[in-house]
Amino acid sequence: MLVTVTTAAAEDGRLQVKVSVIDTGIGISPGGVERLFKSFSQVDASTTRVYGGTGLGLAISQRLAEAMGGRIEVVSSPTRGSTFTLLAILDPTPDAPRVGERTRQATATLTGRSVLIVDDNATSLRILDLQLTGLGMICTTARRPQDALALVTGGLTYDVALLDMRMPGINGVELGDALRQAQGATDAPLVMLTMMGWRPDGLESSFAAFLTKPVKSVVLRDTLAAVLSGMPLGPELSFASTVLPLPAGQQPLAILLAEDNVVNQRVGELMLNKLGHQVEIVGNGLEAVDAVRTREFDVVLMDMQMPVMDGLDATRLIRAELAPGQQPFIVAMTANAMADDQETCLAAGMDAYLSKPVRAHELQAMLAKVGAFISHRSERSEPGSNEAAALHIPPPPPPDPTGQAVDEDVLAALMTDLGDENGEIRSEAITVYLTESADQVTRLVTAAADADRATVATIAHSLRSTSKLLGAANLAAVLWEQEKLAKGDAGDLTPLAMDVSVEYDRVASSLALLVAG
């Protein structure tokens, strides 16, 4: 697959942007091309099982393009592949800096300069190393603060240091102080890597800049170039604190989020970062077990239904393997809000239970109660308790009686929770939802036709939680009925599946217009 992007002058000083995606796959017949942009239209019924169907993805993409004054075209023939082209007319950004010149200036400043990178997360460390090596910098990396100190004491010098804030044993602030005092250390500037929306007070004189993880390449480049050249940071690089205040005496928590749904992962990450906590994300229960084996977490937010290994089995393994003093506080998270679900969670060894979708103030209230657990973790003889009843959050309200596809008030409340001041998070969340859910609905309809009850139940459960999260209460209600029917022993799944597809089409159209508008 090859993606190309070109621009050309259009009327009134605007630009025509052309994005082409060339796919060397099986190709499409002329008759198939005509049906491509229709909801749930398959070019060939057999490709649903062999190559996947087009579902709603292209139909939604075409609507998004048209809403922005553009269009999508396709040229294809059997056995020769396809070329999809997006054409859009866009206004140029006023007074936009020349990207090429800015890049050359930053690269010239960074080339040949040395940087010390300290981060206990191996993946993050590797990415930073690759990013800065690619900019011509000479990188020295360390996963442990003690290793970094040993290098500096042994004579290592550097022009700038990148220090992760949250590390075991010694945090970024303490490491910064130790580096300044270490033999052979210089007064080279320090840059802190921190979680979104959180920074300790009073560190402006100690650190030259603060970067939010994960760090975008351009922001990393421009920040280090500004720091090394002694130039002030531009407004786009300044730190804007949107964090909610932590309760008195509470420290940021190390949290593991075990969740297979991409939308829920992203929303959970943003919400936890804004609440002032550090989060690591895994996609299933087995990965959660592996994570707690190698790193100590204060809290595990455990989705109940995940592929490979579900939340219940993962919790049982964690409780069986870890010593009492190493046990995390485990919170069950599920779209179900049934009494027997809560009892099942407790029996598996979970400490608390939250119903999806979770609001920021609910999550904050629950995490505030974890402090007492953390301080007495070593005294805990048996994991699991009856605290879940006190921490249980009531299920969300029933479907919207007005019949609207998306309740924009619910969506706005979520964005407030996430600190979405300029609409970027909303656009990202909706785009990810539409991308993921279009395929989910297609697979649900196909599975219903095949009487594959297990697949229908799994998809309905996953899609229900994210739909409810974004304010699509009526779609969530239909999916709940679909899930219950699929978990039963009898009943035709197809009629409800078609109801899901019809309601989803309304939701997708509403969300697409919100992004375009």
Side-chain angles (χ1 to χ4, degrees):
M1 181 178 292
L2 175 67
V3 180
T4 62
V5 181
T6 58
T7 60
E11 299 178 357
D12 303 326
R14 297 191 295 171
L15 292 175
Q16 181 188 71
V17 178
K18 180 180 179 181
V19 183
S20 297
V21 181
I22 303 174
D23 180 8
T24 57
I26 61 174
I28 307 169
S29 66
V33 170
E34 295 179 0
R35 300 195 304 273
L36 265 182
F37 297 97
K38 296 179 181 180
S39 301
F40 296 109
S41 176
Q42 304 293 332
V43 172
D44 180 345
S46 65
T47 62
T48 300
R49 293 173 178 80
V50 180
Y51 300 105
T54 60
L56 280 172
L58 285 174
I60 293 171
S61 298
Q62 184 72 287
R63 292 184 186 181
L64 285 170
E66 292 172 350
M68 294 185 290
R71 66 184 186 278
I72 295 178
E73 299 175 346
V74 58
V75 176
S76 183
S77 60
T79 74
R80 296 180 62 87
S82 310
T83 299
F84 290 83
T85 302
L86 166 66
L87 297 172
I89 305 296
L90 303 177
D91 294 321
T93 302
D95 302 323
R98 292 179 57 190
V99 175
E101 180 179 348
R102 183 173 180 175
T103 300
R104 283 192 296 272
Q105 291 176 348
T107 303
T109 301
L110 299 178
T111 299
R113 306 299 288 271
S114 59
V115 55
L116 171 64
I117 312 170
V118 189
D119 192 331
D120 64 308
N121 185 295
T123 301
S124 176
L125 192 67
R126 177 61 175 159
I127 291 173
L128 290 168
D129 187 10
L130 290 171
Q131 287 175 321
L132 296 179
T133 300
L135 292 170
M137 299 193 76
I138 302 169
C139 300
T140 301
T141 62
R143 287 191 62 183
R144 299 194 314 154
Q146 296 86 345
D147 294 339
L149 283 172
L151 289 170
V152 173
T153 303
L156 175 72
T157 60
Y158 50 87
D159 295 311
V160 63
L162 280 173
L163 310 179
D164 186 33
M165 175 56 202
R166 178 75 184 238
M167 292 182 289
I170 302 176
N171 64 33
V173 177
E174 296 166 338
L175 177 59
D177 292 339
L179 287 174
R180 292 188 188 91
Q181 298 172 11
Q183 180 181 355
T186 66
D187 57 356
L190 305 178
V191 176
M192 177 178 284
L193 301 169
T194 184
M195 62 202 77
M196 181 177 293
W198 182 79
R199 178 182 66 181
D201 294 330
L203 294 180
E204 290 80 1
S205 60
S206 302
F207 288 83
F210 299 84
L211 291 174
T212 299
K213 297 174 69 177
V215 186
K216 294 182 179 179
S217 297
V218 173
V219 174
L220 179 63
R221 180 200 69 194
D222 291 350
T223 299
L224 293 187
V227 167
L228 287 172
S229 62
M231 300 294 290
L233 298 179
E236 71 276 14
L237 301 179
S238 61
F239 186 92
S241 179
T242 58
V243 66
L244 297 177
L246 286 170
Q250 182 178 337
Q251 298 297 316
L253 301 171
I255 298 175
L256 178 67
L257 174 60
E259 167 68 64
D260 65 302
N261 186 286
V262 177
V263 178
N264 287 339
Q265 286 180 353
R266 182 60 175 146
V267 170
E269 178 185 28
L270 290 170
M271 192 176 291
L272 288 165
N273 286 162
K274 189 187 176 188
L275 291 174
H277 303 291
Q278 186 179 42
V279 59
E280 184 173 319
I281 299 173
V282 294
N284 60 62
L286 184 59
E287 291 178 356
V289 174
D290 289 339
V292 299
R293 285 169 175 163
T294 57
R295 180 182 174 189
E296 185 175 289
F297 291 93
D298 299 316
V299 183
V300 178
L301 299 177
M302 188 81 76
D303 186 33
M304 294 288 289
Q305 296 190 25
M306 292 181 288
V308 184
M309 180 183 290
D310 64 25
L312 294 172
D313 287 339
T315 299
R316 295 185 185 103
L317 270 178
I318 292 171
R319 295 311 192 201
E321 290 189 9
L322 299 187
Q326 299 175 325
Q327 290 286 346
F329 192 94
I330 302 181
V331 181
M333 301 184 70
T334 179
N336 294 338
M338 312 280 289
D340 56 347
D341 292 319
Q342 184 169 322
E343 294 173 2
T344 302
C345 294
L346 287 173
M350 294 177 171
D351 297 284
Y353 178 101
L354 288 176
S355 298
K356 293 181 180 179
V358 180
R359 295 295 304 274
H361 67 276
E362 299 168 346
L363 188 57
Q364 186 180 39
M366 188 275 294
L367 293 176
K369 297 184 179 183
V370 178
F373 161 80
I374 298 301
S375 61
H376 297 89
R377 173 160 30 195
S378 61
E379 303 171 7
R380 192 179 205 198
S381 58
E382 297 214 1
S385 69
N386 60 1
E387 296 177 53
L391 298 177
H392 173 67
I393 304 300
D400 185 354
T402 65
Q404 60 182 330
V406 175
D407 187 338
E408 294 188 33
D409 290 339
V410 172
L411 186 57
L414 173 63
M415 293 305 110
T416 299
D417 283 350
L418 302 179
D420 186 29
E421 298 176 356
N422 54 16
E424 290 184 0
I425 296 177
R426 187 183 75 160
S427 296
E428 178 188 357
I430 290 175
T431 300
V432 173
Y433 172 82
L434 292 177
T435 302
E436 295 291 319
S437 58
D439 178 65
Q440 285 180 305
V441 173
T442 301
R443 289 189 292 114
L444 185 146
V445 171
T446 302
D450 292 341
D452 184 349
R453 311 188 83 85
T455 299
V456 170
T458 299
I459 295 173
H461 179 84
S462 176
L463 184 57
R464 176 163 64 93
S465 69
T466 52
S467 300
K468 190 162 47 176
L469 182 72
L470 297 183
N474 292 314
L475 174 59
V478 179
L479 286 164
W480 175 228
E481 295 301 321
Q482 178 83 84
E483 181 182 352
K484 289 189 294 184
L485 180 63
K487 289 180 176 179
D489 296 329
D492 187 356
L493 300 174
T494 301
L496 266 178
M498 297 315 299
D499 289 344
V500 168
S501 70
V502 171
E503 183 60 26
Y504 175 76
D505 202 11
R506 292 203 315 134
V507 170
S509 298
S510 297
L511 291 176
L513 290 175
L514 285 176
V515 172

